[in-house]
Amino acid sequence: DSNSLGRLKLFGAVLNQMELDPTGRLATLYVDHALAAGCGGSYEDTDGLINMPLTVKDIQAVVFFKENDGPLDWRISMRSKGTIDINAVAKQFGGGGHKNASGCSATGSIAELKRTFREKIVEAIDAAGAK
């Protein structure tokens, strides 16, 4: 066991503010520089965190926003289960990856980006027929 206390606190803080869409199929996570510093952690400490919500049976996809160079600059990672093509969403924003693991970058307020990605990912879940 070699995790830092900052990593543990950061996992807890990010998971504590996790949001679910109304159907409970999409989990939204985010971390900014202030939250990471306040927990005594770093962005590297979030490695693997995106996969934790997918261990819940009903959650079909996860989107994780990480602040880049400022409050309007975000790196977005996405994961999904089964036939849900999350890569199609990433490509709409100039990103890429694989069907179940993709990412991209975007600018805008976190509230605006959460809303946009929630809509697009829920559409992908619905298109795959995931319940």
mmCIF file of all heavy atoms in Angstrom, residues 4-41:
data_model
loop_
_atom_site.group_PDB
_atom_site.id
_atom_site.type_symbol
_atom_site.label_atom_id
_atom_site.label_comp_id
_atom_site.label_asym_id
_atom_site.label_seq_id
_atom_site.Cartn_x
_atom_site.Cartn_y
_atom_site.Cartn_z
ATOM 1 N N SER A 4 -0.824 8.047 -1.117
ATOM 2 C CA SER A 4 -0.647 9.163 -0.185
ATOM 3 C C SER A 4 -1.985 9.507 0.464
ATOM 4 O O SER A 4 -3.061 9.188 -0.063
ATOM 5 C CB SER A 4 -0.112 10.388 -0.928
ATOM 6 O OG SER A 4 -1.106 10.909 -1.803
ATOM 7 N N LEU A 5 -1.919 10.177 1.589
ATOM 8 C CA LEU A 5 -3.134 10.641 2.259
ATOM 9 C C LEU A 5 -3.861 11.645 1.361
ATOM 10 O O LEU A 5 -5.094 11.641 1.288
ATOM 11 C CB LEU A 5 -2.788 11.276 3.605
ATOM 12 C CG LEU A 5 -3.971 11.781 4.425
ATOM 13 C CD1 LEU A 5 -4.972 10.661 4.697
ATOM 14 C CD2 LEU A 5 -3.487 12.399 5.726
ATOM 15 N N GLY A 6 -3.110 12.463 0.626
ATOM 16 C CA GLY A 6 -3.714 13.421 -0.296
ATOM 17 C C GLY A 6 -4.540 12.730 -1.365
ATOM 18 O O GLY A 6 -5.615 13.194 -1.735
ATOM 19 N N ARG A 7 -4.046 11.594 -1.874
ATOM 20 C CA ARG A 7 -4.790 10.836 -2.878
ATOM 21 C C ARG A 7 -6.104 10.332 -2.296
ATOM 22 O O ARG A 7 -7.156 10.446 -2.920
ATOM 23 C CB ARG A 7 -3.940 9.669 -3.383
ATOM 24 C CG ARG A 7 -4.667 8.776 -4.381
ATOM 25 C CD ARG A 7 -3.733 7.638 -4.845
ATOM 26 N NE ARG A 7 -4.429 6.596 -5.547
ATOM 27 C CZ ARG A 7 -4.611 6.551 -6.865
ATOM 28 N NH1 ARG A 7 -4.156 7.530 -7.618
ATOM 29 N NH2 ARG A 7 -5.244 5.543 -7.425
ATOM 30 N N LEU A 8 -6.045 9.780 -1.115
ATOM 31 C CA LEU A 8 -7.255 9.269 -0.476
ATOM 32 C C LEU A 8 -8.272 10.389 -0.241
ATOM 33 O O LEU A 8 -9.458 10.237 -0.547
ATOM 34 C CB LEU A 8 -6.897 8.586 0.846
ATOM 35 C CG LEU A 8 -8.056 7.975 1.619
ATOM 36 C CD1 LEU A 8 -8.698 6.836 0.829
ATOM 37 C CD2 LEU A 8 -7.555 7.462 2.964
ATOM 38 N N LYS A 9 -7.810 11.521 0.261
ATOM 39 C CA LYS A 9 -8.708 12.658 0.498
ATOM 40 C C LYS A 9 -9.295 13.181 -0.808
ATOM 41 O O LYS A 9 -10.465 13.544 -0.870
ATOM 42 C CB LYS A 9 -7.966 13.784 1.226
ATOM 43 C CG LYS A 9 -7.708 13.493 2.678
ATOM 44 C CD LYS A 9 -7.031 14.678 3.335
ATOM 45 C CE LYS A 9 -6.861 14.483 4.812
ATOM 46 N NZ LYS A 9 -6.267 15.684 5.457
ATOM 47 N N LEU A 10 -8.471 13.216 -1.858
ATOM 48 C CA LEU A 10 -8.945 13.709 -3.149
ATOM 49 C C LEU A 10 -9.996 12.773 -3.742
ATOM 50 O O LEU A 10 -11.021 13.226 -4.241
ATOM 51 C CB LEU A 10 -7.768 13.894 -4.112
ATOM 52 C CG LEU A 10 -8.065 14.575 -5.438
ATOM 53 C CD1 LEU A 10 -8.745 15.925 -5.245
ATOM 54 C CD2 LEU A 10 -6.779 14.743 -6.234
ATOM 55 N N PHE A 11 -9.776 11.465 -3.663
ATOM 56 C CA PHE A 11 -10.785 10.507 -4.118
ATOM 57 C C PHE A 11 -12.100 10.760 -3.381
ATOM 58 O O PHE A 11 -13.164 10.821 -3.991
ATOM 59 C CB PHE A 11 -10.325 9.067 -3.848
ATOM 60 C CG PHE A 11 -9.661 8.388 -5.008
ATOM 61 C CD1 PHE A 11 -8.606 8.975 -5.690
ATOM 62 C CD2 PHE A 11 -10.068 7.133 -5.406
ATOM 63 C CE1 PHE A 11 -7.990 8.341 -6.752
ATOM 64 C CE2 PHE A 11 -9.456 6.481 -6.460
ATOM 65 C CZ PHE A 11 -8.415 7.087 -7.134
ATOM 66 N N GLY A 12 -12.020 10.907 -2.073
ATOM 67 C CA GLY A 12 -13.221 11.137 -1.277
ATOM 68 C C GLY A 12 -13.933 12.419 -1.659
ATOM 69 O O GLY A 12 -15.153 12.441 -1.813
ATOM 70 N N ALA A 13 -13.174 13.500 -1.851
ATOM 71 C CA ALA A 13 -13.775 14.791 -2.185
ATOM 72 C C ALA A 13 -14.444 14.755 -3.557
ATOM 73 O O ALA A 13 -15.566 15.247 -3.726
ATOM 74 C CB ALA A 13 -12.709 15.890 -2.145
ATOM 75 N N VAL A 14 -13.767 14.159 -4.537
ATOM 76 C CA VAL A 14 -14.331 14.100 -5.892
ATOM 77 C C VAL A 14 -15.570 13.211 -5.903
ATOM 78 O O VAL A 14 -16.603 13.574 -6.473
ATOM 79 C CB VAL A 14 -13.270 13.612 -6.912
ATOM 80 C CG1 VAL A 14 -13.905 13.333 -8.267
ATOM 81 C CG2 VAL A 14 -12.157 14.651 -7.055
ATOM 82 N N LEU A 15 -15.493 12.052 -5.265
ATOM 83 C CA LEU A 15 -16.653 11.144 -5.235
ATOM 84 C C LEU A 15 -17.807 11.735 -4.436
ATOM 85 O O LEU A 15 -18.974 11.515 -4.766
ATOM 86 C CB LEU A 15 -16.253 9.780 -4.687
ATOM 87 C CG LEU A 15 -15.349 8.963 -5.613
ATOM 88 C CD1 LEU A 15 -14.847 7.719 -4.890
ATOM 89 C CD2 LEU A 15 -16.069 8.591 -6.901
ATOM 90 N N ASN A 16 -17.497 12.511 -3.413
ATOM 91 C CA ASN A 16 -18.537 13.119 -2.595
ATOM 92 C C ASN A 16 -19.381 14.114 -3.381
ATOM 93 O O ASN A 16 -20.566 14.277 -3.120
ATOM 94 C CB ASN A 16 -17.921 13.800 -1.368
ATOM 95 C CG ASN A 16 -18.969 14.264 -0.387
ATOM 96 O OD1 ASN A 16 -19.837 13.492 0.011
ATOM 97 N ND2 ASN A 16 -18.890 15.521 0.011
ATOM 98 N N GLN A 17 -18.776 14.773 -4.368
ATOM 99 C CA GLN A 17 -19.531 15.743 -5.170
ATOM 100 C C GLN A 17 -19.975 15.165 -6.513
ATOM 101 O O GLN A 17 -20.427 15.903 -7.395
ATOM 102 C CB GLN A 17 -18.737 17.024 -5.357
ATOM 103 C CG GLN A 17 -17.437 16.858 -6.066
ATOM 104 C CD GLN A 17 -16.602 18.125 -5.987
ATOM 105 O OE1 GLN A 17 -16.860 19.025 -5.206
ATOM 106 N NE2 GLN A 17 -15.571 18.194 -6.811
ATOM 107 N N MET A 18 -19.870 13.850 -6.680
ATOM 108 C CA MET A 18 -20.324 13.198 -7.905
ATOM 109 C C MET A 18 -21.805 13.486 -8.118
ATOM 110 O O MET A 18 -22.588 13.495 -7.174
ATOM 111 C CB MET A 18 -20.111 11.683 -7.788
ATOM 112 C CG MET A 18 -20.586 10.895 -8.994
ATOM 113 S SD MET A 18 -20.243 9.116 -8.831
ATOM 114 C CE MET A 18 -21.491 8.655 -7.624
ATOM 115 N N GLU A 19 -22.164 13.722 -9.383
ATOM 116 C CA GLU A 19 -23.559 13.952 -9.741
ATOM 117 C C GLU A 19 -24.027 12.829 -10.649
ATOM 118 O O GLU A 19 -23.249 12.327 -11.471
ATOM 119 C CB GLU A 19 -23.699 15.285 -10.477
ATOM 120 C CG GLU A 19 -23.295 16.487 -9.655
ATOM 121 C CD GLU A 19 -23.270 17.770 -10.479
ATOM 122 O OE1 GLU A 19 -23.686 17.755 -11.663
ATOM 123 O OE2 GLU A 19 -22.814 18.790 -9.942
ATOM 124 N N LEU A 20 -25.282 12.448 -10.513
ATOM 125 C CA LEU A 20 -25.893 11.466 -11.404
ATOM 126 C C LEU A 20 -26.966 12.147 -12.228
ATOM 127 O O LEU A 20 -27.643 13.052 -11.738
ATOM 128 C CB LEU A 20 -26.521 10.324 -10.603
ATOM 129 C CG LEU A 20 -25.577 9.434 -9.802
ATOM 130 C CD1 LEU A 20 -26.374 8.434 -8.971
ATOM 131 C CD2 LEU A 20 -24.607 8.711 -10.715
ATOM 132 N N ASP A 21 -27.133 11.691 -13.474
ATOM 133 C CA ASP A 21 -28.239 12.221 -14.278
ATOM 134 C C ASP A 21 -29.538 11.674 -13.678
ATOM 135 O O ASP A 21 -29.500 10.764 -12.844
ATOM 136 C CB ASP A 21 -28.073 11.831 -15.754
ATOM 137 C CG ASP A 21 -28.450 10.395 -16.018
ATOM 138 O OD1 ASP A 21 -27.882 9.497 -15.369
ATOM 139 O OD2 ASP A 21 -29.320 10.153 -16.866
ATOM 140 N N PRO A 22 -30.695 12.207 -14.057
ATOM 141 C CA PRO A 22 -31.957 11.766 -13.448
ATOM 142 C C PRO A 22 -32.237 10.264 -13.555
ATOM 143 O O PRO A 22 -32.932 9.712 -12.721
ATOM 144 C CB PRO A 22 -33.015 12.578 -14.203
ATOM 145 C CG PRO A 22 -32.297 13.818 -14.620
ATOM 146 C CD PRO A 22 -30.903 13.359 -14.950
ATOM 147 N N THR A 23 -31.672 9.600 -14.562
ATOM 148 C CA THR A 23 -31.905 8.158 -14.711
ATOM 149 C C THR A 23 -30.917 7.323 -13.902
ATOM 150 O O THR A 23 -31.079 6.110 -13.787
ATOM 151 C CB THR A 23 -31.796 7.730 -16.194
ATOM 152 O OG1 THR A 23 -30.440 7.860 -16.629
ATOM 153 C CG2 THR A 23 -32.728 8.542 -17.076
ATOM 154 N N GLY A 24 -29.864 7.948 -13.388
ATOM 155 C CA GLY A 24 -28.851 7.228 -12.625
ATOM 156 C C GLY A 24 -27.882 6.434 -13.487
ATOM 157 O O GLY A 24 -27.113 5.627 -12.977
ATOM 158 N N ARG A 25 -27.870 6.706 -14.803
ATOM 159 C CA ARG A 25 -26.996 5.953 -15.705
ATOM 160 C C ARG A 25 -25.681 6.653 -16.010
ATOM 161 O O ARG A 25 -24.750 6.031 -16.510
ATOM 162 C CB ARG A 25 -27.718 5.659 -17.025
ATOM 163 C CG ARG A 25 -28.976 4.823 -16.847
ATOM 164 C CD ARG A 25 -29.686 4.614 -18.165
ATOM 165 N NE ARG A 25 -30.091 5.913 -18.723
ATOM 166 C CZ ARG A 25 -30.538 6.096 -19.957
ATOM 167 N NH1 ARG A 25 -30.643 5.066 -20.773
ATOM 168 N NH2 ARG A 25 -30.887 7.293 -20.382
ATOM 169 N N LEU A 26 -25.591 7.951 -15.728
ATOM 170 C CA LEU A 26 -24.391 8.732 -16.019
ATOM 171 C C LEU A 26 -23.895 9.418 -14.757
ATOM 172 O O LEU A 26 -24.644 10.147 -14.106
ATOM 173 C CB LEU A 26 -24.688 9.790 -17.092
ATOM 174 C CG LEU A 26 -23.571 10.808 -17.345
ATOM 175 C CD1 LEU A 26 -22.328 10.133 -17.900
ATOM 176 C CD2 LEU A 26 -24.063 11.908 -18.268
ATOM 177 N N ALA A 27 -22.632 9.199 -14.438
ATOM 178 C CA ALA A 27 -21.990 9.867 -13.306
ATOM 179 C C ALA A 27 -21.087 10.966 -13.843
ATOM 180 O O ALA A 27 -20.358 10.764 -14.820
ATOM 181 C CB ALA A 27 -21.175 8.883 -12.494
ATOM 182 N N THR A 28 -21.139 12.139 -13.210
ATOM 183 C CA THR A 28 -20.300 13.265 -13.588
ATOM 184 C C THR A 28 -19.381 13.606 -12.420
ATOM 185 O O THR A 28 -19.849 13.796 -11.295
ATOM 186 C CB THR A 28 -21.161 14.493 -13.944
ATOM 187 O OG1 THR A 28 -22.039 14.144 -15.014
ATOM 188 C CG2 THR A 28 -20.296 15.669 -14.358
ATOM 189 N N LEU A 29 -18.074 13.670 -12.701
ATOM 190 C CA LEU A 29 -17.056 14.009 -11.708
ATOM 191 C C LEU A 29 -16.286 15.227 -12.196
ATOM 192 O O LEU A 29 -16.180 15.440 -13.403
ATOM 193 C CB LEU A 29 -16.059 12.854 -11.548
ATOM 194 C CG LEU A 29 -16.583 11.463 -11.249
ATOM 195 C CD1 LEU A 29 -15.449 10.449 -11.340
ATOM 196 C CD2 LEU A 29 -17.231 11.420 -9.887
ATOM 197 N N TYR A 30 -15.737 15.998 -11.259
ATOM 198 C CA TYR A 30 -14.834 17.063 -11.677
ATOM 199 C C TYR A 30 -13.850 17.386 -10.567
ATOM 200 O O TYR A 30 -14.113 17.161 -9.379
ATOM 201 C CB TYR A 30 -15.582 18.309 -12.141
ATOM 202 C CG TYR A 30 -15.905 19.297 -11.061
ATOM 203 C CD1 TYR A 30 -15.070 20.381 -10.817
ATOM 204 C CD2 TYR A 30 -17.045 19.152 -10.278
ATOM 205 C CE1 TYR A 30 -15.367 21.294 -9.815
ATOM 206 C CE2 TYR A 30 -17.351 20.056 -9.287
ATOM 207 C CZ TYR A 30 -16.506 21.120 -9.059
ATOM 208 O OH TYR A 30 -16.791 22.020 -8.057
ATOM 209 N N VAL A 31 -12.699 17.891 -10.991
ATOM 210 C CA VAL A 31 -11.677 18.354 -10.054
ATOM 211 C C VAL A 31 -11.047 19.603 -10.648
ATOM 212 O O VAL A 31 -10.827 19.686 -11.852
ATOM 213 C CB VAL A 31 -10.611 17.263 -9.762
ATOM 214 C CG1 VAL A 31 -9.831 16.893 -11.007
ATOM 215 C CG2 VAL A 31 -9.679 17.692 -8.636
ATOM 216 N N ASP A 32 -10.821 20.575 -9.798
ATOM 217 C CA ASP A 32 -10.092 21.761 -10.223
ATOM 218 C C ASP A 32 -8.839 21.880 -9.370
ATOM 219 O O ASP A 32 -8.635 21.102 -8.434
ATOM 220 C CB ASP A 32 -10.967 23.024 -10.174
ATOM 221 C CG ASP A 32 -11.556 23.313 -8.806
ATOM 222 O OD1 ASP A 32 -11.027 22.801 -7.779
ATOM 223 O OD2 ASP A 32 -12.543 24.054 -8.734
ATOM 224 N N HIS A 33 -7.992 22.838 -9.709
ATOM 225 C CA HIS A 33 -6.724 22.982 -8.996
ATOM 226 C C HIS A 33 -6.931 23.248 -7.513
ATOM 227 O O HIS A 33 -6.198 22.724 -6.669
ATOM 228 C CB HIS A 33 -5.882 24.091 -9.627
ATOM 229 C CG HIS A 33 -5.443 23.778 -11.025
ATOM 230 N ND1 HIS A 33 -4.569 22.766 -11.319
ATOM 231 C CD2 HIS A 33 -5.774 24.350 -12.208
ATOM 232 C CE1 HIS A 33 -4.373 22.717 -12.619
ATOM 233 N NE2 HIS A 33 -5.095 23.666 -13.194
ATOM 234 N N ALA A 34 -7.935 24.047 -7.180
ATOM 235 C CA ALA A 34 -8.179 24.388 -5.776
ATOM 236 C C ALA A 34 -8.575 23.157 -4.965
ATOM 237 O O ALA A 34 -8.095 22.968 -3.843
ATOM 238 C CB ALA A 34 -9.266 25.461 -5.682
ATOM 239 N N LEU A 35 -9.431 22.313 -5.510
ATOM 240 C CA LEU A 35 -9.851 21.108 -4.792
ATOM 241 C C LEU A 35 -8.662 20.174 -4.580
ATOM 242 O O LEU A 35 -8.462 19.659 -3.477
ATOM 243 C CB LEU A 35 -10.971 20.387 -5.549
ATOM 244 C CG LEU A 35 -11.490 19.099 -4.910
ATOM 245 C CD1 LEU A 35 -12.094 19.364 -3.533
ATOM 246 C CD2 LEU A 35 -12.510 18.434 -5.816
ATOM 247 N N ALA A 36 -7.881 19.960 -5.618
ATOM 248 C CA ALA A 36 -6.718 19.069 -5.500
ATOM 249 C C ALA A 36 -5.747 19.586 -4.438
ATOM 250 O O ALA A 36 -5.302 18.825 -3.567
ATOM 251 C CB ALA A 36 -6.016 18.918 -6.846
ATOM 252 N N ALA A 37 -5.445 20.877 -4.492
ATOM 253 C CA ALA A 37 -4.514 21.463 -3.521
ATOM 254 C C ALA A 37 -5.080 21.407 -2.108
ATOM 255 O O ALA A 37 -4.360 21.116 -1.149
ATOM 256 C CB ALA A 37 -4.191 22.905 -3.908
ATOM 257 N N GLY A 38 -6.375 21.661 -1.972
ATOM 258 C CA GLY A 38 -7.016 21.633 -0.656
ATOM 259 C C GLY A 38 -6.992 20.266 -0.005
ATOM 260 O O GLY A 38 -7.010 20.151 1.224
ATOM 261 N N CYS A 39 -6.926 19.231 -0.813
ATOM 262 C CA CYS A 39 -6.868 17.864 -0.293
ATOM 263 C C CYS A 39 -5.435 17.402 -0.071
ATOM 264 O O CYS A 39 -5.209 16.311 0.458
ATOM 265 C CB CYS A 39 -7.550 16.903 -1.271
ATOM 266 S SG CYS A 39 -9.331 17.134 -1.378
ATOM 267 N N GLY A 40 -4.477 18.209 -0.519
ATOM 268 C CA GLY A 40 -3.084 17.803 -0.415
ATOM 269 C C GLY A 40 -2.698 16.799 -1.482
ATOM 270 O O GLY A 40 -1.738 16.051 -1.324
ATOM 271 N N GLY A 41 -3.461 16.791 -2.572
ATOM 272 C CA GLY A 41 -3.192 15.851 -3.650
ATOM 273 C C GLY A 41 -2.812 16.561 -4.927
ATOM 274 O O GLY A 41 -2.682 17.781 -4.972
#
